[in-house]
Amino acid sequence: MPRPMLLIHGGAGDISDSRIAGKFQGIKQALRCAWRLLNPENGSTGCALDAVEAAVRSMELDENFNAGYGSCLNTKGEVEMEASLMEGKDLRAGCITLLRDVMHPITVSRRLIEKKRHTFLGGEAALELALATGSEKLPPNALVTEGARFTLQEFQEQVAQGKDPFFARTELAEEKPLNSGPKTDPSGETVGAVAINSEGHIVVGTSTGGITGKWPGRIGDTPILGSGTYADNMRGGVSTTGHGETIMRYNLAQRILAAMDCKGLSPQAAADQECREMTRRLGGTGGAIVVAPSGDIGISFTSRRMAWGYVKNDTIFYGIEGQVVHQEPFTE
């Protein structure tokens, strides 16, 4: 059986230099929160579902990421969130979209799985499920950050100048002038986690606030099985991030798993191949994290940067661009 593995991402996009430190801090915090739930050496039950939920919840609380607090804003200046959670034994899943005023969409996804009735729920029905299963309804605009407001303002200015908004950013490419805008940087990208426990059980979770300047009611790739999330104990697990319209049209998660199945590619080779082909064909960029049934992993992206991290041999490995890998000892 494989050794437990927890691999996470904090979003792919045009991440500015000033945001790197916050991304790294959030990635490491999420790994420390979740790894103790997965590693049986810590005396835990080794539940992959618990570990994935914990990792994503940690990033949903962190405004360095575009999920939960810090989510991107639609054209009305509102937060509409999405999440999905899938387990690879029985292929059960919970997909949530157009959720408002709740801190942890990933937990609402888990509650939908536990209901064992439906797989996908959105809007008011998703909010009703959240409130009926222990989530707290937040005051209006409680999830809106100054950074998200700044990014929406920039987007609106670009549209007013006649620029094509199709590849709307979820990251801000350039540094902001020191004398303008809020001191906090704009919100980041989709977050996700893939875990396999010592019994070979694979779980994947993904959560997002979408893209800046989206129309109200827009749904991205994150809650769509096979695009933003997929888990199958016999094939592997994938969580994706990037331009949602591109990822859902390409069905990125399933294509990566198919490349592993049909071509015998490693998780790394499959992710590299399919991320590149997606961008070549459709123009939009993105990335993916992958775990195979063997426990082998893949990390790939065509965006400028993608924050990622994992734990191996009591060491946290993490990065955000190219082949540069940072590491530090794991501490509780």
Side-chain angles (χ1 to χ4, degrees), residues 3-329:
R3 289 183 59 84
M5 171 59 69
L6 174 65
L7 174 61
I8 70 175
H9 71 72
D14 290 326
I15 302 168
S16 65
D17 291 347
S18 64
R19 293 183 52 74
I20 292 177
K23 292 279 191 182
F24 282 167
Q25 181 179 358
I27 287 288
K28 291 183 286 186
Q29 176 64 25
L31 288 171
R32 291 188 173 103
C33 288
W35 178 246
R36 61 183 177 82
L37 302 173
L38 186 66
N39 186 7
E41 295 177 1
N42 295 332
S44 74
T45 59
C47 179
L49 195 61
D50 288 347
V52 165
E53 182 186 12
V56 174
R57 280 176 62 95
S58 178
M59 291 185 282
E60 287 174 337
L61 286 170
D62 189 335
E63 66 179 303
N64 287 292
F65 304 106
N66 172 23
Y69 181 64
S71 289
C72 288
L73 305 181
N74 63 21
T75 55
K76 292 184 177 180
E78 301 167 336
V79 169
E80 291 181 316
M81 300 171 292
E82 303 176 313
S84 57
L85 186 65
M86 185 173 186
E87 59 84 24
K89 180 181 179 182
D90 299 317
L91 306 185
R92 294 183 303 156
C95 305
I96 296 295
T97 191
L98 305 178
L99 180 66
R100 298 170 178 262
D101 301 328
V102 170
M103 182 64 75
H104 294 296
I106 196 67
T107 294
V108 184
S109 293
R110 182 166 184 176
R111 298 297 174 259
L112 183 55
I113 291 177
E114 292 168 351
K115 289 296 182 181
K116 298 181 179 180
R117 183 171 184 182
H118 298 306
T119 298
F120 206 144
L121 213 57
E124 288 300 317
L127 178 58
E128 289 174 8
L129 172 67
L131 300 183
T133 54
S135 294
E136 175 187 358
K137 186 171 183 180
L138 303 174
N141 299 321
L143 298 174
V144 178
T145 65
E146 289 302 309
R149 289 192 180 98
F150 179 91
T151 311
L152 178 62
Q153 179 183 353
E154 185 201 48
F155 172 84
Q156 291 169 334
E157 290 172 353
Q158 291 173 343
V159 172
Q161 295 168 10
K163 296 182 180 180
D164 184 359
F166 180 72
F167 291 115
R169 289 176 182 157
T170 51
E171 298 280 0
L172 186 64
E174 303 299 329
E175 305 293 338
K176 292 180 298 186
L178 294 177
N179 61 350
S180 68
K183 294 182 179 180
T184 56
D185 278 322
S187 53
E189 246 284 8
T190 302
V191 305
V194 184
I196 184 169
N197 68 8
S198 59
E199 297 177 349
H201 187 38
I202 296 173
V203 174
V204 180
T206 313
S207 180
T208 190
I211 59 176
T212 294
K214 63 184 180 180
W215 292 347
R218 176 263 189 185
I219 297 171
D221 67 292
T222 293
I224 298 176
L225 300 180
S227 290
T229 296
Y230 205 80
D232 185 338
N233 287 0
M234 300 179 65
R235 304 174 70 210
V238 181
S239 175
T240 70
T241 172
H243 185 247
E245 273 66 20
T246 298
I247 291 172
M248 73 175 89
R249 287 162 60 200
Y250 194 73
N251 209 216
L252 181 57
Q254 279 290 7
R255 285 189 184 247
I256 291 171
L257 293 176
M260 293 164 61
D261 279 348
C262 302
K263 298 181 180 180
L265 297 184
S266 69
Q268 186 64 55
D272 285 341
Q273 171 183 288
E274 296 305 327
C275 286
R276 286 196 299 261
E277 180 62 11
M278 177 188 73
T279 297
R280 185 193 71 81
R281 288 188 62 182
L282 302 178
T285 64
I289 55 172
V290 189
V291 171
S294 64
D296 293 336
I297 65 172
I299 303 166
S300 187
F301 52 97
T302 56
S303 306
R304 179 187 177 196
R305 288 168 170 155
M306 182 179 82
W308 57 267
Y310 64 89
V311 180
K312 184 177 181 180
N313 298 328
D314 295 322
T315 300
I316 293 178
F317 296 87
Y318 59 101
I320 200 166
E321 57 188 341
Q323 301 299 314
V324 180
V325 179
H326 307 271
Q327 63 184 72
E328 66 180 54

